[in-house]
Amino acid sequence: MSIRPVKRLVAAKPTVEGAGVHLRRAFGFGNTTDFDPFLLLDDFRNDVPEDYLAGFPWHPHRGIETITYVLAGTVEHGDSMGNHGEIAPGEVQWMTAGSGIIHQEMPKGDQAGRMHGFQLWANLPASLKMTAPRYQEVKAPEIPEIKDDDGTHVRVVCGNFWGKSGPVDGIAADPIYLDVSVPPGRRKTLPVGTTRHAFAYVFAGSGKFCNASEPLAVPTEAVGWLDTAPPVAADNRSLVLFDRGDEVVVQAGDEGIRFLLVSGKPLEEPVAWYGPIVMNTQEQLQQAFKDLEKGTFLKGQK
């Protein structure tokens, strides 16, 4: 067994999206190679309603899948296929945009004004860029939960893990999407297929991800840490990108640690990306925007 070294660790950066939603971006809109088949991860946790209520009004997508996972508050959604509903804490919306879809996502906080959740974009292979759009909404009770003897808790949103299968199916990149909680002071080894790209996103507590036989002290900022003594742990809103290997080892801190652990098979295809549309060539990208202008963006939808 080989432990995956930490290739890079960065802090999610503040940004504004949609109609004025303040969020943190862990990665996206840069070099996609290291994260292939994933394109972007946004952390839209916010406790100030005026910073998120404007939401994400109607906008198009083509060539990707968007995965929204809610922890607190709710997100109302609607799309051009006629789907409409609301995802609540612990629930997931997995939308395959394929040939084209127009949708909106409108966050609403809980009674305390909290709106917590994540959105991940997964790329589609060239063979499925123009596939029919598909929508999967997963309620909290449908997501398998595993509790190990040492108290480690895992929710399996997608893929197979420790003998359980997540409810989201038929995804081209064969992703594994886990919500992992490790109790205070525990050291935990988690399997990850050798051929996959993998990352962890820490959103509660802190811990150390291990490079070899001992925990690695990892910084929590993308730049500037080389000139100072780096922090000893990855903490809240830290993204950990792993190199190759077949297992991830984490040492939980005094408050425990909770993180998303996501992996997928790299597509290794060219990426042409502008805004909400991701294709393989500039010509395909230009065609998508021409389709929007001409009103022919939605293929075979009423």
Side-chain angles (χ1 to χ4, degrees):
M1 303 294 282
S2 60
I3 295 175
R4 282 180 174 253
V6 174
K7 188 172 184 177
R8 190 158 71 247
L9 190 140
V10 297
K13 296 176 176 61
T15 189
V16 179
E17 282 291 352
V21 178
H22 293 251
L23 48 80
R24 302 287 186 104
R25 178 154 294 154
F27 66 88
F29 292 103
N31 184 352
T32 59
T33 304
D34 284 342
F35 295 96
D36 182 15
F38 307 107
L39 298 162
L40 174 149
L41 176 64
D42 281 346
D43 175 349
F44 57 84
R45 288 177 293 159
N46 200 310
D47 298 335
V48 182
E50 54 264 34
D51 284 348
Y52 62 75
L53 282 176
F56 306 91
W58 294 98
H59 59 280
H61 284 292
R62 178 179 284 180
I64 64 170
E65 299 178 293
T66 64
I67 302 101
T68 307
Y69 181 36
V70 173
L71 298 178
T74 59
V75 176
E76 290 186 354
H77 62 86
D79 65 40
S80 51
M81 294 188 295
N83 295 306
H84 182 79
E86 185 177 83
I87 47 175
E91 298 181 351
V92 175
Q93 171 190 303
W94 198 297
M95 187 186 75
T96 304
S99 61
I101 197 168
I102 297 175
H103 77 148
Q104 68 170 351
E105 299 159 299
M106 304 304 288
K108 295 198 305 185
D110 62 13
Q111 291 183 339
R114 300 178 307 158
M115 178 66 249
H116 293 187
F118 308 96
Q119 185 166 93
L120 175 69
W121 290 13
N123 203 2
L124 282 170
S127 60
L128 294 176
K129 287 289 188 188
M130 298 300 287
T131 192
R134 182 183 180 210
Y135 179 84
Q136 298 181 70
E137 183 174 314
V138 180
K139 299 301 184 184
E142 300 174 54
I143 298 178
E145 301 195 19
I146 309 166
K147 191 162 186 178
D148 210 5
D149 293 341
D150 64 357
T152 296
H153 183 272
V154 180
R155 301 189 83 222
V156 185
V157 173
C158 182
N160 299 308
F161 188 78
W162 283 351
K164 298 285 187 179
S165 295
V168 177
D169 62 7
I171 307 302
D174 189 24
I176 296 177
Y177 189 119
L178 310 173
D179 176 351
V180 181
S181 300
V182 181
R186 293 288 186 179
R187 180 183 172 102
K188 196 66 184 175
T189 299
L190 304 166
V192 180
T194 308
T195 59
R196 295 171 165 270
H197 283 167
F199 66 86
Y201 184 71
V202 179
F203 61 93
S206 65
K208 298 176 181 179
F209 289 88
C210 306
N211 252 0
S213 58
E214 295 299 324
L216 171 72
V218 285
T220 57
E221 295 294 338
V223 294
W225 63 271
L226 282 171
D227 300 324
T228 61
V232 295
D235 62 4
N236 187 13
R237 293 193 170 99
S238 291
L239 175 78
V240 184
L241 175 66
F242 298 105
D243 214 327
R244 292 303 175 100
D246 56 17
E247 59 186 21
V248 167
V249 179
V250 60
Q251 176 77 43
D254 293 341
E255 298 177 354
I257 187 170
R258 187 176 179 188
F259 55 94
L260 303 178
L261 180 60
V262 180
S263 66
K265 296 177 181 177
L267 301 178
E268 299 180 338
E269 294 181 350
V271 173
W273 182 0
Y274 187 83
I277 296 172
V278 184
M279 304 302 289
N280 295 106
T281 68
Q282 289 298 316
E283 291 76 17
Q284 292 169 341
L285 197 59
Q286 291 166 8
Q287 184 61 52
F289 284 97
K290 287 178 183 176
D291 288 347
L292 276 170
E293 291 174 6
K294 293 189 297 182
T296 57
F297 185 77
L298 303 177
K299 308 296 183 183
Q301 296 178 48
K302 293 181 181 179

mmCIF file of all heavy atoms in Angstrom, residues 26 37 57 85 87 109 161 188 214 216 229 236-237 296:
data_model
loop_
_atom_site.group_PDB
_atom_site.id
_atom_site.type_symbol
_atom_site.label_atom_id
_atom_site.label_comp_id
_atom_site.label_asym_id
_atom_site.label_seq_id
_atom_site.Cartn_x
_atom_site.Cartn_y
_atom_site.Cartn_z
ATOM 1 N N ALA A 26 -12.406 26.939 -4.041
ATOM 2 C CA ALA A 26 -11.255 26.093 -3.721
ATOM 3 C C ALA A 26 -10.364 25.890 -4.945
ATOM 4 O O ALA A 26 -9.144 25.899 -4.851
ATOM 5 C CB ALA A 26 -11.725 24.752 -3.169
ATOM 6 N N PRO A 37 -11.127 14.654 -13.566
ATOM 7 C CA PRO A 37 -12.165 15.239 -14.404
ATOM 8 C C PRO A 37 -12.960 16.378 -13.747
ATOM 9 O O PRO A 37 -14.020 16.743 -14.274
ATOM 10 C CB PRO A 37 -13.090 14.041 -14.619
ATOM 11 C CG PRO A 37 -13.051 13.327 -13.292
ATOM 12 C CD PRO A 37 -11.612 13.464 -12.836
ATOM 13 N N PRO A 57 -29.646 33.268 -10.563
ATOM 14 C CA PRO A 57 -30.810 33.261 -11.469
ATOM 15 C C PRO A 57 -30.533 32.474 -12.742
ATOM 16 O O PRO A 57 -29.407 32.035 -12.986
ATOM 17 C CB PRO A 57 -31.026 34.750 -11.756
ATOM 18 C CG PRO A 57 -30.307 35.481 -10.665
ATOM 19 C CD PRO A 57 -29.139 34.609 -10.312
ATOM 20 N N GLY A 85 -37.869 22.080 -7.398
ATOM 21 C CA GLY A 85 -37.916 21.545 -6.051
ATOM 22 C C GLY A 85 -36.994 22.294 -5.125
ATOM 23 O O GLY A 85 -36.590 23.432 -5.399
ATOM 24 N N ILE A 87 -33.641 21.471 -2.280
ATOM 25 C CA ILE A 87 -32.766 20.542 -1.575
ATOM 26 C C ILE A 87 -32.439 21.121 -0.204
ATOM 27 O O ILE A 87 -32.148 22.306 -0.066
ATOM 28 C CB ILE A 87 -31.485 20.209 -2.374
ATOM 29 C CG1 ILE A 87 -30.808 21.454 -2.940
ATOM 30 C CG2 ILE A 87 -31.784 19.218 -3.476
ATOM 31 C CD1 ILE A 87 -29.482 21.152 -3.623
ATOM 32 N N GLY A 109 -31.559 30.720 3.696
ATOM 33 C CA GLY A 109 -30.935 30.306 4.946
ATOM 34 C C GLY A 109 -31.902 29.595 5.869
ATOM 35 O O GLY A 109 -33.121 29.575 5.648
ATOM 36 N N PHE A 161 -17.738 2.628 -1.620
ATOM 37 C CA PHE A 161 -16.763 2.838 -0.560
ATOM 38 C C PHE A 161 -17.129 1.959 0.634
ATOM 39 O O PHE A 161 -18.270 1.978 1.096
ATOM 40 C CB PHE A 161 -16.730 4.313 -0.139
ATOM 41 C CG PHE A 161 -15.616 4.638 0.822
ATOM 42 C CD1 PHE A 161 -14.316 4.793 0.361
ATOM 43 C CD2 PHE A 161 -15.872 4.778 2.175
ATOM 44 C CE1 PHE A 161 -13.290 5.089 1.250
ATOM 45 C CE2 PHE A 161 -14.853 5.075 3.058
ATOM 46 C CZ PHE A 161 -13.553 5.233 2.597
ATOM 47 N N LYS A 188 -6.561 7.926 10.504
ATOM 48 C CA LYS A 188 -7.418 7.102 9.659
ATOM 49 C C LYS A 188 -6.830 6.943 8.271
ATOM 50 O O LYS A 188 -6.335 7.900 7.668
ATOM 51 C CB LYS A 188 -8.811 7.749 9.546
ATOM 52 C CG LYS A 188 -9.865 6.788 9.026
ATOM 53 C CD LYS A 188 -10.108 5.662 10.026
ATOM 54 C CE LYS A 188 -11.083 4.633 9.508
ATOM 55 N NZ LYS A 188 -11.215 3.506 10.445
ATOM 56 N N GLU A 214 5.005 9.437 8.841
ATOM 57 C CA GLU A 214 4.661 10.452 9.831
ATOM 58 C C GLU A 214 3.772 11.516 9.201
ATOM 59 O O GLU A 214 3.845 11.774 8.008
ATOM 60 C CB GLU A 214 5.936 11.102 10.395
ATOM 61 C CG GLU A 214 6.807 10.144 11.188
ATOM 62 C CD GLU A 214 6.100 9.563 12.394
ATOM 63 O OE1 GLU A 214 5.302 10.279 13.028
ATOM 64 O OE2 GLU A 214 6.328 8.372 12.692
ATOM 65 N N LEU A 216 2.419 14.978 7.831
ATOM 66 C CA LEU A 216 3.070 16.110 7.191
ATOM 67 C C LEU A 216 2.435 17.393 7.694
ATOM 68 O O LEU A 216 1.219 17.543 7.669
ATOM 69 C CB LEU A 216 2.896 16.029 5.673
ATOM 70 C CG LEU A 216 3.346 17.266 4.883
ATOM 71 C CD1 LEU A 216 4.862 17.370 4.881
ATOM 72 C CD2 LEU A 216 2.810 17.203 3.467
ATOM 73 N N ALA A 229 7.218 30.135 9.336
ATOM 74 C CA ALA A 229 6.955 28.783 9.828
ATOM 75 C C ALA A 229 5.544 28.383 9.428
ATOM 76 O O ALA A 229 4.586 29.068 9.783
ATOM 77 C CB ALA A 229 7.094 28.743 11.344
ATOM 78 N N ASN A 236 -10.063 24.638 8.423
ATOM 79 C CA ASN A 236 -11.282 24.983 7.729
ATOM 80 C C ASN A 236 -10.999 25.729 6.428
ATOM 81 O O ASN A 236 -10.221 26.661 6.400
ATOM 82 C CB ASN A 236 -12.129 25.842 8.679
ATOM 83 C CG ASN A 236 -13.512 26.123 8.138
ATOM 84 O OD1 ASN A 236 -13.952 25.507 7.181
ATOM 85 N ND2 ASN A 236 -14.190 27.067 8.746
ATOM 86 N N ARG A 237 -11.671 25.297 5.350
ATOM 87 C CA ARG A 237 -11.543 25.868 4.010
ATOM 88 C C ARG A 237 -10.181 25.623 3.381
ATOM 89 O O ARG A 237 -9.708 26.419 2.580
ATOM 90 C CB ARG A 237 -11.892 27.355 4.007
ATOM 91 C CG ARG A 237 -13.369 27.637 4.311
ATOM 92 C CD ARG A 237 -13.727 29.080 3.974
ATOM 93 N NE ARG A 237 -15.175 29.293 4.025
ATOM 94 C CZ ARG A 237 -15.823 29.837 5.057
ATOM 95 N NH1 ARG A 237 -15.136 30.212 6.126
ATOM 96 N NH2 ARG A 237 -17.117 30.005 5.023
ATOM 97 N N THR A 296 -31.402 28.225 -30.043
ATOM 98 C CA THR A 296 -31.370 26.789 -30.368
ATOM 99 C C THR A 296 -30.496 26.007 -29.384
ATOM 100 O O THR A 296 -30.052 24.906 -29.682
ATOM 101 C CB THR A 296 -30.823 26.585 -31.793
ATOM 102 O OG1 THR A 296 -29.510 27.183 -31.896
ATOM 103 C CG2 THR A 296 -31.734 27.230 -32.811
#
